[in-house]
Amino acid sequence: MSVDPENGADARDETNYIDKLPAEVLCMIFDLLDLDTIKNASRTSQRWYNIIFTSQYAARFVLNFDVTSKVLAAYPICVEYLGRSSKLHKVYKLQRKVKAQEAIKDVMDMITHSKWCVRNLTYRVDRYSSDDFPALWKTIHPKITANLVSLDLSLTTFLTQRVLPVLAAALPLMQQLGTLNLRHVAREPFVQDGLIILRSSSVENVTFASILNIGIEMPLLRTFTGESNVLFQSGSCTAESQMQPVAFDNLKHLYIVKVKQRWGPTKPNHNVSIPLQVSMILQMKNLETIKWEEVLIDEVFRAICETCLKLKHLWIEKLEISNVRVLDPLSKLVDLHDLKIEEIDTKDQSPLALDFSNQTKLQQVVLPHMNIDSLVLRKSMNTLGFTVSSKTHETMAQILRDYRMQVTELTLNFINFDAHEPTEMMKVLSIMHNLEVLRLRRGCFCELSFFLIPAPMDRLREMHFEDCCLYRATFSGYQDKFPNLEVLTRENKDSDDEDAENYDDESSSNDESENEVEESDSEEEYGY
């Protein structure tokens, strides 16, 4: 507000101070708005439009190309169940094809005339967009792909041979791409012609939810998620490219997963020799995380222990070893924070002595069913897991007695108890004075089970039962044994039946609405 010197009247200051705000401040304000409000804000001025859609701020959004959803939304699902020879099915099939062509044309027009700087793209290539894929890709690349920082590509079986070579040729030109996700939906067996190598000098994170015969050359790669064959086949590309096998000096996190399939018991087999697997592991000296869901053989396991000395997290679903001495190199992983081995397959039944005294940072150990004769742990270790059988429960009980004061979280997996209760283990629980979280798997507990615990466990806050045999009165009087128990859950994974109950001396219902709210991802989708 200012004063006019001639007539003394107040004169309004017409300055638009919002327009004077720096772009960085406006972006902080935009972060507080939802997607619909952001779209409205982009129409306010050309400057706001440019900040939202043509600057680095566009990384907040994901452009989703999913023609199938658009087509199927216009027609009833029951059409899929009509006979292919029926007249109605043929009519709907023709109409869906026309609808798909219209949707793709809209996408191509939008890309052609838009000035958006798309940073994240999700693209589903399937039967509804297969015929127009070359034209649509020509529209997308390089106008859209040149600015991408993440690409999420899904494709179906019969399009594999067409799309993969196109992707392989385009990847080296996507200089800003940092994340690549490739999903392959295989509804029937297929045969792929030859190995395809995906090369990029910028990608740092890849996920391959596929069984495709592919390899990678990505020197900046930090995180890999997928089947081991994809990783190991990368070393076999030398004959094709006449290049040295690609190094993985920057790889920090390795997640080897089992890709599900939708047909029969078999899937394409891409054989990789054991020496090649070992040679590839020897290049991964900076790994910090390994999660291995496939079967891990002892030669590769030894290579991991000998090479990956910076490893902090090691989780193995199944380890096949010739003898128990294969586990000795575990002591070399001195930076380990947590170790989890679900199952060990070996014919060697020799007693096993495990010494983790060198692992000063170790906080969690979960061990499979083995004949463990002795176990040495650091005092810093507070999370422990065992697989207990009728033959080993006395030894396991003694180990728990030895470390009863330091363990705060315990997992017990029971096998081969022949429906008898693990009485010895129940008795030893009461002397674990600092135990706060207890997980019991595949155990049998009758109505008197918890009365075997002679003294109350005052510090126990959570108790979880997974795939356990529980009688109706199992929990009768549990408050006396666990006076401060807050969470009690029962889960049956085998039958997909899950029951969970929360117990609180106060009223837990007031907190339910807050606990059910989950924070959404930072990226938002707008689709076409």
Side-chain angles (χ1 to χ4, degrees):
M1 189 78 68
S2 60
V3 179
D4 190 331
E6 296 183 359
N7 52 28
D10 291 342
R12 292 187 176 276
D13 187 351
E14 300 295 337
T15 302
N16 187 345
Y17 290 101
I18 294 181
D19 281 345
K20 293 184 176 297
L21 290 176
E24 294 79 7
V25 176
L26 286 174
C27 289
M28 296 172 64
I29 296 174
F30 295 152
D31 281 339
L32 304 176
L33 307 179
D34 58 32
L35 185 58
D36 290 334
T37 308
I38 280 288
K39 287 182 177 179
N40 293 333
S42 68
R43 301 185 182 101
T44 302
S45 67
Q46 186 64 44
R47 181 180 181 232
W48 284 22
Y49 177 91
N50 292 338
I51 292 175
I52 293 173
F53 288 128
T54 66
S55 72
Q56 297 295 323
Y57 187 78
R60 173 180 176 180
F61 310 108
V62 179
L63 183 59
N64 186 4
F65 289 166
D66 188 354
V67 176
T68 299
S69 299
K70 215 170 182 59
V71 171
L72 295 183
Y75 299 97
I77 298 178
C78 61
V79 173
E80 296 292 336
Y81 299 96
L82 295 174
R84 293 184 178 273
S85 60
S86 67
K87 183 178 180 180
L88 185 57
H89 184 277
K90 293 179 180 179
V91 171
Y92 274 129
K93 184 177 180 180
L94 180 60
Q95 291 180 349
R96 284 187 296 188
K97 184 176 182 180
V98 173
K99 183 69 176 178
Q101 292 174 343
E102 293 175 352
I104 292 176
K105 185 178 182 302
D106 291 342
V107 170
M108 295 174 64
D109 290 342
M110 182 274 296
I111 295 174
T112 302
H113 299 97
S114 174
K115 297 181 180 179
W116 289 358
C117 177
V118 178
R119 308 290 285 172
N120 307 286
L121 175 63
T122 298
Y123 186 9
R124 179 178 177 180
V125 188
D126 55 22
R127 54 178 174 167
Y128 294 109
S129 58
S130 59
D131 294 339
D132 298 286
F133 171 74
L136 182 55
W137 183 257
K138 186 178 294 186
T139 306
I140 295 174
H141 179 71
K143 181 176 181 179
I144 297 294
T145 58
N147 298 312
L148 288 181
V149 295
S150 72
L151 173 61
D152 192 326
L153 184 64
S154 301
L155 59 150
T156 53
T157 298
F158 70 96
L159 290 170
T160 300
Q161 300 284 23
R162 182 185 301 181
V163 176
L164 276 184
V166 173
L167 177 63
L171 271 180
L173 304 178
M174 303 182 194
Q175 297 296 321
Q176 300 186 51
L177 190 67
T179 300
L180 173 64
N181 300 324
L182 180 61
R183 293 178 174 85
H184 174 235
V185 181
R187 301 184 181 276
E188 58 185 14
F190 73 102
V191 177
Q192 180 183 331
D193 296 335
L195 175 68
I196 293 181
I197 303 298
L198 301 181
R199 298 178 173 89
S200 173
S201 60
S202 61
V203 170
E204 296 183 0
N205 309 290
V206 296
T207 298
F208 294 110
S210 68
I211 54 173
L212 299 174
N213 190 18
I214 56 179
I216 56 174
E217 281 188 13
M218 300 176 180
L220 297 184
L221 192 64
R222 294 178 59 86
T223 303
F224 174 90
T225 303
E227 283 196 326
S228 61
N229 284 333
V230 175
L231 195 67
F232 293 143
Q233 286 178 149
S234 304
S236 65
C237 66
T238 307
E240 174 201 335
S241 62
Q242 300 302 317
M243 296 174 61
Q244 293 297 319
V246 63
F248 292 96
D249 293 337
N250 293 300
L251 192 62
K252 299 288 187 182
H253 310 287
L254 177 61
Y255 303 99
I256 301 299
V257 300
K258 293 183 292 187
V259 178
K260 296 181 180 179
Q261 57 198 37
R262 297 193 178 188
W263 70 87
T266 60
K267 61 181 181 180
N269 184 23
H270 313 307
N271 293 321
V272 180
S273 67
I274 294 176
L276 179 57
Q277 295 182 40
V278 172
S279 67
M280 296 296 290
I281 291 294
L282 294 178
Q283 301 178 47
M284 305 176 189
K285 298 181 180 180
N286 294 312
L287 274 178
E288 296 180 358
T289 304
I290 293 180
K291 182 176 182 181
W292 204 289
E293 294 183 1
E294 297 178 357
V295 176
L296 182 62
I297 58 177
D298 53 7
E299 292 91 344
V300 178
F301 176 75
R302 285 196 193 97
I304 290 175
C305 295
E306 297 285 347
T307 305
C308 308
L309 302 182
K310 297 180 181 180
L311 205 59
K312 297 179 180 178
H313 312 282
L314 178 59
W315 184 89
I316 302 171
E317 183 169 304
K318 185 175 182 179
L319 178 60
E320 287 187 354
I321 57 177
S322 56
N323 60 80
V324 297
R325 298 273 68 84
V326 173
L327 298 175
D328 290 345
L330 274 174
S331 59
K332 297 183 178 182
L333 303 178
V334 296
D335 284 339
L336 267 186
H337 286 59
D338 57 83
L339 170 67
K340 183 177 182 181
I341 304 177
E342 292 282 351
E343 180 182 354
I344 291 183
D345 185 5
T346 180
K347 295 180 180 179
D348 186 2
Q349 300 300 319
S350 303
L352 178 63
L354 295 175
D355 187 350
F356 296 107
S357 58
N358 289 335
Q359 278 91 334
T360 59
K361 302 175 182 178
L362 193 62
Q363 298 179 351
Q364 174 179 341
V365 175
V366 177
L367 299 173
H369 178 241
M370 293 196 70
N371 186 15
I372 300 177
D373 183 60
S374 64
L375 179 66
V376 179
L377 301 173
R378 298 283 300 188
K379 291 184 178 181
S380 60
M381 205 285 304
N382 53 30
T383 302
L384 188 61
F386 287 125
T387 297
V388 187
S389 70
S390 56
K391 295 181 179 180
T392 64
H393 75 281
E394 292 183 358
T395 304
M396 298 298 104
Q398 183 57 48
I399 291 175
L400 291 181
R401 292 188 186 96
D402 294 340
Y403 297 100
R404 63 185 182 275
M405 299 304 296
Q406 68 186 68
V407 175
T408 61
E409 185 171 337
L410 176 65
T411 299
L412 296 176
N413 184 27
F414 300 98
I415 61 172
N416 301 328
F417 265 87
D418 300 326
H420 296 300
E421 295 179 75
T423 55
E424 192 67 26
M425 301 301 295
M426 299 301 292
K427 291 178 181 178
V428 79
L429 287 178
S430 63
I431 64 174
M432 303 186 70
H433 302 297
N434 294 316
L435 192 63
E436 298 179 0
V437 179
L438 175 62
R439 292 183 175 85
L440 303 172
R441 297 173 178 169
R442 296 183 175 88
C444 183
F445 304 95
C446 73
E447 59 187 55
L448 299 179
S449 294
F450 294 124
F451 288 98
L452 296 172
I453 300 177
M457 301 178 65
D458 296 325
R459 300 196 64 174
L460 193 68
R461 298 180 292 101
E462 299 181 19
M463 183 181 290
H464 306 275
F465 294 88
E466 297 181 13
D467 297 329
C468 289
C469 176
L470 303 176
Y471 289 81
R472 184 180 299 274
T474 295
F475 302 109
S476 298
Y478 78 92
Q479 294 90 346
D480 296 334
K481 300 297 182 182
F482 318 112
N484 297 312
L485 192 66
E486 299 174 1
V487 178
L488 176 63
T489 67
R490 183 187 67 187
E491 181 178 359
N492 190 340
K493 294 182 178 180
D494 294 336
S495 63
D496 295 329
D497 176 32
E498 182 176 334
D499 294 311
E501 297 174 298
N502 291 332
Y503 296 87
D504 195 336
D505 291 339
E506 302 293 330
S507 176
S508 62
S509 60
N510 295 332
D511 300 329
E512 289 181 358
S513 59
E514 296 179 5
N515 294 335
E516 291 175 357
V517 177
E518 297 182 357
E519 186 176 352
S520 60
D521 294 337
S522 59
E523 294 179 346
E524 302 181 60
E525 286 193 1
Y526 51 98
Y528 289 89

